[in-house]
């Protein structure tokens, strides 16, 4: 175990324990606590305390990190949330890092833990209530970010509730993104809504841009909804002839008769045996057990 400190006076402290598991599976486990008191430990306005555990599994070629904010505050307000990292570099490499969760329409990798949003409670009671939350996630092909603000004030049997937020998801390849925006404000008498406004918008793009949304106004029993559905900008959709060529090329590549296996010189190979699939189940390719060049699968016919 080690303890690391930074700053004079000490502003940041890290307590780290290293555990090496032998002989198999070979794993390195890191337990840690990161504590920050700002601007000084004696007059700390910001108190951050992060507990974390990380596992580096050499056999499975995976790394995982899980962390949570514990007993953390910004001024008199509580700060909470979780983060997690999952990465692998084996036969199916993958990467996912999240602070506070993912976009609502995104499906996390299998086994990824459920995370609390990074939340700052800007009030210490339910009346008034003011909360802000956010998240940031980075995966192998996406960047995701979102934030929301919630407010509630009640007096004399009336309550004013409102909120606004957004969720953005950007795909890197092919490039594209979607943004969802929501906002609402409602005046209630007990549990009955007297009047309110609700806004929802969904924007995708950029080739082309597509905007869908609606605004709803409600006063007692009267409700009016205004909808928007618009497309603008240029579309980069492939021309019909180019799409046809791609489909024909894909069909030719998928046809087993267009492929042949050319084996290298068998000198130095070790004998081995295996059960071969029945005829028609696919192309049979020899595989060497020694350190010789690998066989290559080359196009035979029908593909240019």
């Amino acid at each position: 175990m080690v303890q690391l400190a930074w700053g004079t006076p000490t502003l940041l402290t890290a307590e780290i324990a290293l555990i090496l598991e032998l002989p198999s599976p070979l794993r390195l486990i890191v337990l840690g606590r990161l504590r920050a008191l700002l601007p000084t430990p004696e007059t700390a306005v910001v108190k951050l305390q992060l507990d974390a555990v990380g596992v580096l599994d050499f056999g499975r070629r995976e790394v995982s990190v899980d962390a949570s904010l514990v007993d953390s505050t910004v001024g008199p307000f509580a700060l909470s949330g979780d983060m997690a990292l999952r990465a692998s570099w084996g036969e199916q490499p993958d990467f996912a890092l999240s602070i506070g969760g993912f976009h609502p329409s995104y499906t996390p990798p299998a086994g990824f833990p459920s995370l609390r949003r990074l939340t700052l409670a800007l009030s210490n009671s339910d009346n008034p209530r003011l909360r802000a939350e956010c998240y940031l996630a980075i995966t192998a092909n996406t960047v995701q970010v979102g934030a929301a603000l919630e407010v509630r004030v009640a007096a004399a049997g009336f309550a004013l509730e409102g909120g606004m937020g957004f969720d953005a998801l950007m795909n890197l390849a092919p490039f594209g993104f979607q943004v969802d925006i929501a906002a609402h404000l409602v005046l209630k008498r007990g549990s009955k809504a007297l009047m309110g406004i609700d806004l929802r918008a969904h924007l995708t793009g950029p080739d082309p841009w597509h905007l869908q949304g609606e605004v709803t106004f409600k006063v007692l029993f009267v409700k009016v909804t205004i909808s928007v559905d618009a497309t603008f900008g240029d579309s980069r959709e492939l021309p019909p002839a180019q799409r046809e060529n791609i489909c024909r090329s894909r069909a030719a590549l998928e046809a087993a008769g267009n492929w042949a296996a050319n084996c290298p010189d068998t000198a130095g190979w070790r004998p081995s045996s295996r059960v071969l699939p029945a005829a028609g189940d696919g192309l049979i390719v020899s595989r060497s057990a020694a350190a010789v060049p690998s066989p290559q699968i080359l196009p035979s016919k029908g593909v240019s």
Side-chain angles (χ1 to χ4, degrees):
M1 297 185 65
V2 297
Q3 185 180 75
L4 305 176
W6 179 82
T8 304
T10 302
L11 302 179
L12 183 65
T13 303
E15 301 172 358
I16 302 174
L18 302 178
I19 303 171
L20 184 61
E21 185 177 357
L22 298 169
S24 180
L26 179 60
R27 300 195 303 175
L28 178 64
I29 303 171
V30 181
L31 306 176
R33 168 169 289 180
L34 184 67
R35 182 185 294 111
L37 302 175
L38 304 172
T40 66
E42 293 76 17
T43 60
V45 177
V46 177
K47 177 184 176 183
L48 300 178
Q49 185 167 279
L50 185 72
D51 289 352
V53 56
V55 178
L56 178 59
D57 193 320
F58 296 94
R60 299 180 63 178
R61 300 183 180 181
E62 294 178 351
V63 60
S64 65
V65 178
D66 295 278
S68 294
L69 286 168
V70 180
D71 296 332
S72 299
T73 58
V74 177
F77 310 122
L79 179 66
S80 60
D82 302 322
M83 71 83 60
L85 166 70
R86 296 292 186 272
S88 62
W89 60 94
E91 296 181 356
Q92 296 181 335
D94 200 3
F95 175 85
L97 168 65
S98 175
I99 303 173
F102 293 94
H103 188 280
S105 66
Y106 179 80
T107 302
F112 204 97
S114 178
L115 305 178
R116 298 175 298 165
R117 292 283 196 246
L118 187 61
T119 302
L120 179 63
L122 297 173
S123 61
N124 295 320
S125 65
D126 191 56
N127 185 28
R129 182 175 70 226
L130 182 61
R131 290 166 52 91
E133 62 180 34
C134 65
Y135 67 90
L136 171 66
I138 301 174
T139 68
N141 194 44
T142 68
V143 177
Q144 308 169 37
V145 62
L149 180 66
E150 177 190 359
V151 61
R152 182 181 185 275
V153 180
F158 293 89
L160 183 65
E161 300 177 358
M164 60 183 302
F166 76 93
D167 296 285
L169 171 63
M170 179 175 67
N171 289 296
L172 302 180
F175 178 76
F177 65 89
Q178 66 180 59
V179 180
D180 296 280
I181 301 173
H184 73 279
L185 184 65
V186 58
L187 177 64
K188 293 183 176 181
R189 172 67 175 176
S191 60
K192 182 179 179 180
L194 300 179
M195 62 180 63
I197 180 174
D198 186 86
L199 180 147
R200 308 285 173 180
H202 178 73
L203 176 67
T204 60
D207 302 316
W209 298 97
H210 185 206
L211 175 63
Q212 287 181 306
E214 63 179 29
V215 180
T216 301
F217 302 91
K218 180 179 180 180
V219 179
L220 297 177
F221 303 104
V222 179
K223 183 168 69 172
V224 178
T225 299
I226 302 175
S227 300
V228 176
D229 192 339
T231 300
F232 49 94
D234 296 330
S235 175
R236 296 185 182 180
E237 195 171 314
L238 295 176
Q242 192 170 350
R243 290 201 306 269
E244 182 181 355
N245 288 336
I246 291 176
C247 293
R248 293 175 60 187
S249 298
R250 177 178 296 175
L253 290 170
E254 292 175 349
N258 290 335
W259 296 87
N262 298 334
C263 295
D265 185 4
T266 59
W269 282 27
R270 303 188 191 127
S272 63
S273 63
R274 61 181 300 185
V275 178
L276 297 179
D281 286 349
L283 189 67
I284 305 301
V285 180
S286 300
R287 183 174 63 180
S288 170
V292 298
S294 301
Q296 296 180 343
I297 300 176
L298 301 175
S300 173
K301 60 183 179 179
V303 180
S304 60

